[in-house]
Amino acid sequence: MSCKVLIYCLFIAVSSDAFGQGQSIKIGELNSYKVFPAFLEPYRKGWQLALEEINRSGGVLGRQVEVVSRDDGGTPGDAVRVAEELISREKADVLMGTFASNVGLAVANLANQRKILFLAAEPLTDKIVWENGNRYTFRLRPSTYMQVAMLVPEAARLNKKRWAIVIPNYEYGQSAAASFRKLLTWAQPGVEFVAEQAPPLGRIDAGAVVQALLEARPEAIFSALFAVDLQKFVREGSTRGLFKSAAVVNLLGGEPEYLDPLKDETPEGWWVTGYPWREINTPEHRKFRDAYQKRWNDYPRLGSVVGYCALYAVANGIRKAGSLEADKLIAALEGLQMETPFGGILWRPLDHQSTMGAYVGQLAKQGGQGVMINWHYADGAKHQPSDQEVRALRKE
Amino acid sequence: MSGSAVLLQFLNGLAGASSLFLVAAGLSLIFGVSRIVNFAHGSLYMLGMYLAVSLSGTLGFWLSVPLAAALVAAAGLVIETTLLRRIYKAPELLQLLATFALVLIIRDAALWAWGPEDRLGPRAPGLAGAVAIAGRQFPQYDLLLICLGPAVFIALYLLLSRTRWGTRVRAASQDREMAAALGVNERRLFTAVFALGALLAGFGGASAIPREPASLQIDLAVMSDAFVVVVVGGLGSIPGAFLAALLIGEVKAFCIGLGYSELTLAIEFIVMAVVLVFRPWGLLGRPLAETRGPGTLQPPLPAPSFLLLGGLAVLLAIVPVFAGPYTIVLLTDILVFALFAASLHLLMGPGGMPSFGHAAYFGLGAYTAGLLLLRAHLPMELSLALAPLAAALGALVFGWFCVQLSGVYLAMLTLAFAQIAWSVAFQWDRLTGGSNGLIGVWPAPWLSSKQAYYYLTLVLCLGAVALLWRLIDSPFGYALRAGRDSPLRAAAIGIDVRAQQWAAFGIAGLFAGVAGALYAFSKGSISPETLSVPRSVDGLVMVLLGGVQTLSGPLWGAALFTWLEDSLSRGVEYWRAAIGAVILVLVIAFPRGIFK
């Protein structure tokens, strides 16, 4: 008994809250580093670079910025606890991060309850700014809807009548498919959807899925697959000749995280959203790329840009607010304009979504590597539903 | 579907079945002889994939496959001789804890060695293209795979039925002690069988790389597939595993071919549930021989110490006076998991029924609480009170089927039901919010401060634990334990063993539901992870860590595990591996649980 009590007291001693608070501004960062390392290692390097730049140039409001970074364990329940720790023990002034949509939504919900600003960096779900949007939550990356809207003009230009859909079976895939059906039907009346396949995320049985798609004889395919699923789909599809007869439009397919592993199997001619880091030669991007390569001796992925911009967004917001109070921060971030490696973006007051865009282009092979060609930057501001629709969804 | 479409999907199913069989055969073999539920089997498969992908860069694909398999076999040899050999005599299921620790360690080791990016392997040289079958293109490599499964099956069959070594293995699977008494060197046999199983896992992984990229998530996915195949086939039965792999491979392929791809989320678990309901020992399995030895002797539990519980309650009640707000948040989580573990312990300890799907009831409680609050607009207090009833009801429905079985079959049926419940929550977007779950499940205003909610949790959790302990010490508890220790004698003195077990399911479900509902309101949102396999596994780990044969062990196990996760994930880069290492040390040092 006494031994148990001793051990118990040990728990408390170790876990009890730290005292004192420095003069630095604390940003609580949490992400699923061990669950999605391929995307989040570059993300971490991105915000670390931004942090060093910010502090080198004198910090924010005359104070140094400190990022307290945590692994959120990859589940909403753990993430909420980690966020609580950042809020109550670390006394973080702002929360930032998360990757998976369910984790992002759970933390956004907590931020609303605890009245702390939360900048959701990665989650793609439309709901985080619409149905489940709240005052305290802002989101950086272009949402599923926005990225679909960016691809639809290219899909319509293909002028194919029979479309098949293949998506990972969870909210991201389902809402991508729903938006694509709606927007393409609107852009190209009379289009037909002949098959839909929704394999479990990360567990696609690619041979059977490709075979089933072939049987439906589509002229074009809309895919929202990524990571392992995309690699398996590409290999089976090219072996079985699916892509000879059907054009493909693939959400996220040009992001280096998902494109690079394909190497010499990169399917040519696919329309994708992504990040052609080699070829973007605007001054702002060149500056970022050079700094990143110098700091990390590695090329930037999309995650790097997201991490970099997320931290700058927080810093710029605090600068504009001149304060760390949540209400003032919200007021400052709403309508904030800032420079990013992708050009200028605006934080929409309407739904707290940034207008960061994505690059739309076609896949090609160069020297055994996948690259994007014929690309252009699709501005996030131009790929949004009407303000009324957004207001109706936000129920405000 | 046209005739040729059917043929092609049939071939796809065969290729899938072959790769399923390769993983499952090794697992079945290991279980048959050593009774180890090897959670790390998928990790060995993953290791085979990564090794083959990196070796094929220099050696070429065809050489890399056998070499990778041999290396994985060597890893298996090391694992068996340095770790598992030490704990064969420990209580049943403890090996499961050790292999779970290996899963954590191997995954982080792979991350360290090969980096975070998925690695797409090469195509098989010479078999990179496709052949025309019925006017359609079919990959040449898949044809080889279709032959590989049966070839391995025949080789294993001959090895087991025609060689002296095989005879020993079969003897040991049927009766370990008798085989030992007749002079079979058990230690060497166990080592060899584990290495052979690892070889098969490694071979399965290596031969899959032309179809599947090596990734860090593959381990648990493969592990659950392999478990399903082994159990559907009948534990320890190689022909059974072959038949089950065929069945599941084909069912999957035709689900996709017929346009029901959403079903593949849980189809193997649906198949497993159906098979187990009608054939309690799988397709070709036989009732397991009783294992004897220290691991199976269950000393009577000590009388519950309500003094301990009372002391704990007082101590915990004064914590908020001097501890900071985060300590309270963490303690709330610990209390919830302690109740979750205690409810699982009722089944596993006194009930003798290992449940691999206990998260189902936790999740049912959480979801019901959320749905009543958000959809039915009931007050929070009422939602919290009604939610456990739904969990108990679910447990009674699932439990009715489960108590017809025993041992690992029972455990796997609980897992199947949990997975089915999970896939319903995941899929039923309109009701449950699908993969995102329910958002905005907050407690009533008077409970919204962390302190108030902590006290609510404290009262409910410790009260529930006290009730559980009292139940275990009541005539019901004794009858339950009698049924576990000697079903025949218990029946002879008039105890309806199954009825006791069924009731235990309902009670355990009720209390897991209390924990789940408390969890939901403490987090403000719920998503399908509350009823997922990892949540169930966490529960198992907590109970086993603390000690199945103790009363208070699961509470300490829950506290230790939650605290470890919380503190290690903050400061340690490879924190999963660190947790694994701590568990391994504890398993070897305290094979009966830390608080025994």
Side-chain angles (χ1 to χ4, degrees):
Chain A
M1 169 76 194
S2 64
C3 155
K4 287 170 191 169
V5 171
L6 198 72
I7 288 174
Y8 183 71
C9 291
L10 209 68
F11 278 12
I12 295 174
V14 180
S15 61
S16 68
D17 298 49
F19 292 103
Q21 191 189 357
Q23 282 304 299
S24 55
I25 292 172
K26 262 196 187 176
I27 295 169
E29 197 280 338
L30 68 162
N31 231 318
S32 316
Y33 289 106
K34 281 285 178 285
V35 184
F36 304 102
F39 204 102
L40 293 175
E41 285 304 319
Y43 161 88
R44 174 162 25 207
K45 288 179 177 162
W47 67 250
Q48 281 176 343
L49 176 65
L51 181 67
E52 289 164 10
E53 288 181 6
I54 291 167
N55 282 336
R56 228 180 357 244
S57 62
V60 176
L61 305 181
R63 292 158 70 179
Q64 291 283 293
V65 177
E66 184 191 347
V67 175
V68 185
S69 176
R70 297 277 186 264
D71 192 314
D72 67 19
T75 65
D78 287 346
V80 165
R81 188 180 69 231
V82 169
E84 283 281 4
E85 192 249 350
L86 289 170
I87 298 169
S88 53
R89 188 198 292 178
E90 295 295 339
K91 308 272 185 278
D93 301 301
V94 175
L95 291 181
M96 167 186 132
T98 74
F99 183 90
S101 293
N102 56 351
V103 176
L105 284 166
V107 174
N109 179 39
L110 177 79
N112 190 37
Q113 177 85 354
R114 301 294 308 265
K115 307 206 182 327
I116 183 170
L117 186 87
F118 169 49
L119 194 126
E122 308 267 8
L124 288 176
T125 178
D126 300 330
K127 292 189 172 141
I128 204 165
V129 291
W130 296 346
E131 287 93 328
N132 297 112
N134 64 55
R135 218 175 144 243
Y136 293 87
T137 302
F138 290 76
R139 190 254 307 276
L140 177 67
R141 265 185 98 182
S143 65
T144 311
Y145 174 92
M146 289 161 71
Q147 303 213 32
V148 171
M150 290 167 191
L151 276 174
V152 162
E154 308 302 338
R157 210 163 297 143
L158 292 171
N159 200 21
K160 305 281 189 192
K161 196 158 179 276
R162 296 170 61 83
W163 281 81
I165 290 178
V166 53
I167 51 166
N169 184 9
Y170 74 111
E171 197 261 350
Y172 150 76
Q174 290 148 4
S175 64
S179 302
F180 185 77
R181 278 171 193 267
K182 194 172 106 189
L183 294 175
L184 187 66
T185 314
W186 186 75
Q188 185 192 340
V191 67
E192 255 183 83
F193 293 94
V194 293
E196 177 163 331
Q197 287 283 331
L201 174 65
R203 312 279 319 269
I204 188 174
D205 191 342
V209 166
V210 166
Q211 197 62 49
L213 291 176
L214 273 167
E215 297 302 330
R217 290 189 307 285
E219 293 166 2
I221 297 167
F222 171 75
S223 149
L225 300 176
F226 60 95
V228 179
D229 292 333
L230 178 63
Q231 296 164 31
K232 289 166 78 175
F233 182 64
V234 165
R235 183 165 277 184
E236 286 289 340
S238 45
T239 308
R240 294 175 191 240
L242 175 63
F243 310 137
K244 276 193 205 121
S245 56
V248 180
V249 171
N250 200 121
L251 214 58
L252 315 184
E255 294 179 3
E257 286 86 340
Y258 309 130
L259 178 57
D260 291 354
L262 293 174
K263 298 210 172 74
D264 60 345
E265 306 220 4
T266 305
E268 300 195 88
W270 286 23
W271 283 100
V272 294
T273 57
Y275 171 42
W277 61 273
R278 270 192 208 86
E279 288 93 20
I280 307 172
N281 282 319
T282 57
E284 56 269 26
H285 185 258
R286 203 176 308 146
K287 184 174 148 249
F288 163 74
R289 186 176 56 202
D290 291 348
Y292 190 90
Q293 282 184 313
K294 186 163 161 249
R295 174 67 181 84
W296 299 111
N297 199 19
D298 195 2
Y299 60 93
R301 319 302 205 270
L302 185 63
S304 318
V305 182
V306 174
Y308 185 79
C309 297
L311 193 63
Y312 263 109
V314 173
N316 292 345
I318 297 173
R319 229 172 250 148
K320 187 177 162 200
S323 155
L324 290 166
E325 272 173 52
D327 287 325
K328 289 192 179 146
L329 281 174
I330 291 167
L333 265 171
E334 286 182 344
L336 175 78
Q337 285 181 314
M338 59 181 272
E339 281 305 312
T340 73
F342 288 0
I345 65 168
L346 169 94
W347 289 85
R348 285 155 50 103
L350 176 67
D351 57 2
H352 293 186
Q353 168 69 42
S354 97
T355 63
M356 183 191 225
Y359 292 83
V360 173
Q362 284 186 289
L363 295 183
K365 265 184 293 204
Q366 273 173 19
Q369 287 292 328
V371 293
M372 279 172 75
I373 55 168
N374 302 332
W375 51 263
H376 66 274
Y377 180 64
D379 187 348
K382 294 182 187 138
H383 297 90
Q384 299 281 357
S386 71
D387 289 0
Q388 284 106 314
E389 280 175 75
V390 171
R391 268 192 211 103
L393 284 169
R394 266 183 88 93
K395 296 174 206 136
E396 281 182 344
Chain B
M1 285 173 93
S2 65
S4 44
V6 171
L7 175 69
L8 263 283
Q9 286 299 12
F10 180 70
L11 290 177
N12 285 331
L14 284 184
S18 258
S19 46
L20 270 180
F21 173 70
L22 288 182
V23 228
L27 186 66
S28 190
L29 210 59
I30 292 172
F31 181 87
V33 175
S34 56
R35 293 290 150 79
I36 288 189
V37 179
N38 183 16
F39 262 35
H41 205 70
S43 306
L44 295 172
Y45 178 94
M46 181 181 79
L47 218 50
M49 291 184 92
Y50 271 107
L51 284 170
V53 172
S54 32
L55 289 173
S56 62
T58 46
L59 299 174
F61 172 74
W62 295 110
L63 264 179
S64 75
V65 173
L67 198 58
L71 286 173
V72 175
L77 203 72
V78 173
I79 290 170
E80 203 277 343
T81 47
T82 57
L83 172 66
L84 297 178
R85 181 173 285 184
R86 294 168 192 276
I87 50 174
Y88 281 127
K89 299 273 185 241
E92 238 183 298
L93 289 181
L94 196 86
Q95 295 93 346
L96 182 153
L97 191 58
T99 55
F100 169 74
L102 287 176
V103 172
L104 299 177
I105 293 172
I106 293 176
R107 186 186 278 198
D108 267 9
L111 175 64
W112 173 78
W114 286 287
E117 267 181 25
D118 309 325
R119 297 187 149 223
L120 185 61
R123 288 170 185 254
L127 293 178
V131 285
I133 295 177
R136 283 146 171 93
Q137 298 296 309
F138 190 77
Q140 291 163 335
Y141 188 76
D142 286 19
L143 286 179
L144 174 75
L145 213 55
I146 289 175
C147 305
L148 212 54
V152 169
F153 171 57
I154 291 167
L156 272 179
Y157 180 78
L158 290 178
L159 179 71
L160 290 176
S161 65
R162 294 280 186 275
T163 67
R164 208 173 163 74
W165 186 79
T167 313
R168 292 199 183 116
V169 170
R170 280 185 296 134
S173 336
Q174 269 180 24
D175 195 326
R176 230 151 84 174
E177 298 217 308
M178 185 57 89
L182 293 173
V184 173
N185 185 337
E186 242 192 343
R187 289 182 81 157
R188 216 185 287 161
L189 193 72
F190 278 25
T191 310
V193 166
F194 195 86
L196 179 61
L199 181 86
L200 285 169
F203 181 65
S207 63
I209 61 166
R211 283 160 49 95
E212 170 114 41
S215 72
L216 294 166
Q217 282 81 42
I218 196 80
D219 51 356
L220 287 182
V222 165
M223 192 267 303
S224 82
D225 278 355
F227 265 100
V228 169
V229 169
V230 167
V231 168
V232 168
L235 287 164
S237 161
I238 302 289
F242 188 73
L243 200 63
L246 267 183
L247 177 69
I248 289 169
E250 289 300 342
V251 168
K252 268 192 170 174
F254 280 96
C255 271
I256 294 166
L258 294 170
Y260 298 106
S261 58
E262 289 89 348
L263 263 181
T264 50
L265 202 57
I267 188 70
E268 65 259 53
F269 292 98
I270 297 172
V271 170
M272 177 161 80
V274 171
V275 167
L276 286 184
V277 165
F278 290 102
R279 292 191 65 93
W281 289 284
L283 292 174
L284 297 182
R286 276 183 296 198
L288 293 176
E290 289 290 314
T291 44
R292 294 171 291 259
T296 54
L297 287 179
Q298 306 257 16
L301 284 170
S305 162
F306 290 104
L307 193 68
L308 169 77
L309 210 56
L312 203 58
V314 171
L315 198 67
L316 285 171
I318 56 170
V319 164
V321 177
F322 58 85
Y326 180 64
T327 308
I328 296 176
V329 171
L330 183 62
L331 278 178
T332 307
D333 266 19
I334 288 179
L335 282 168
V336 166
F337 290 131
L339 175 58
F340 178 54
S343 72
L344 175 59
H345 172 255
L346 174 70
L347 288 182
M348 288 178 66
M353 298 177 285
S355 165
F356 287 5
H358 207 56
Y361 319 120
F362 185 82
L364 266 176
Y367 266 98
T368 312
L371 288 172
L372 290 176
L373 184 84
L374 296 179
R375 303 272 197 265
H377 305 290
L378 291 188
M380 173 260 172
E381 297 84 350
L382 198 57
S383 310
L384 181 64
L386 292 178
L389 298 178
L393 194 68
L396 283 176
V397 173
F398 295 166
W400 190 82
F401 294 100
C402 294
V403 298
Q404 319 292 324
L405 313 181
S406 62
V408 179
Y409 290 103
L410 182 150
M412 291 305 285
L413 190 58
T414 60
L415 175 68
F417 283 130
Q419 276 300 87
I420 292 168
W422 170 82
S423 64
V424 169
F426 194 88
Q427 201 77 244
W428 196 350
D429 207 46
R430 298 265 286 287
L431 183 75
T432 62
S435 59
N436 282 339
L438 299 170
I439 313 286
V441 189
W442 291 111
W446 65 279
L447 287 167
S448 64
S449 84
K450 297 287 154 210
Q451 290 214 354
Y453 199 78
Y454 170 71
Y455 282 116
L456 174 79
T457 312
L458 182 65
V459 169
L460 287 182
C461 287
L462 289 191
V465 169
L467 267 174
L468 272 169
W469 286 8
R470 181 69 190 80
L471 266 170
I472 291 171
D473 201 36
S474 72
F476 162 74
Y478 286 102
L480 192 63
R481 278 184 264 167
R484 172 197 70 193
D485 291 337
S486 180
L488 267 183
R489 287 182 202 177
I493 56 170
I495 296 172
D496 186 343
V497 174
R498 281 203 179 143
Q500 304 294 328
Q501 292 177 330
W502 194 34
F505 254 96
I507 294 163
L510 182 83
F511 287 111
V514 174
L518 282 169
Y519 185 75
F521 288 115
S522 77
K523 300 293 176 187
S525 57
I526 325 152
S527 78
E529 51 105 15
T530 48
L531 21 75
S532 63
V533 178
R535 172 78 53 221
S536 296
V537 173
D538 282 358
L540 276 173
V541 170
M542 291 166 187
V543 172
L544 292 170
L545 211 53
V548 190
Q549 293 160 25
T550 64
L551 258 185
S552 59
L555 309 188
W556 305 114
L560 179 66
F561 186 69
T562 313
W563 174 76
L564 265 182
E565 210 174 59
D566 181 72
S567 52
L568 287 180
S569 71
R570 199 173 311 134
V572 183
E573 168 74 21
Y574 291 100
W575 59 274
R576 286 175 201 268
I579 291 181
V582 171
I583 294 179
L584 274 191
V585 169
L586 291 176
V587 161
I588 292 175
F590 310 100
R592 286 166 176 272
I594 28 175
F595 292 98
K596 181 70 184 173

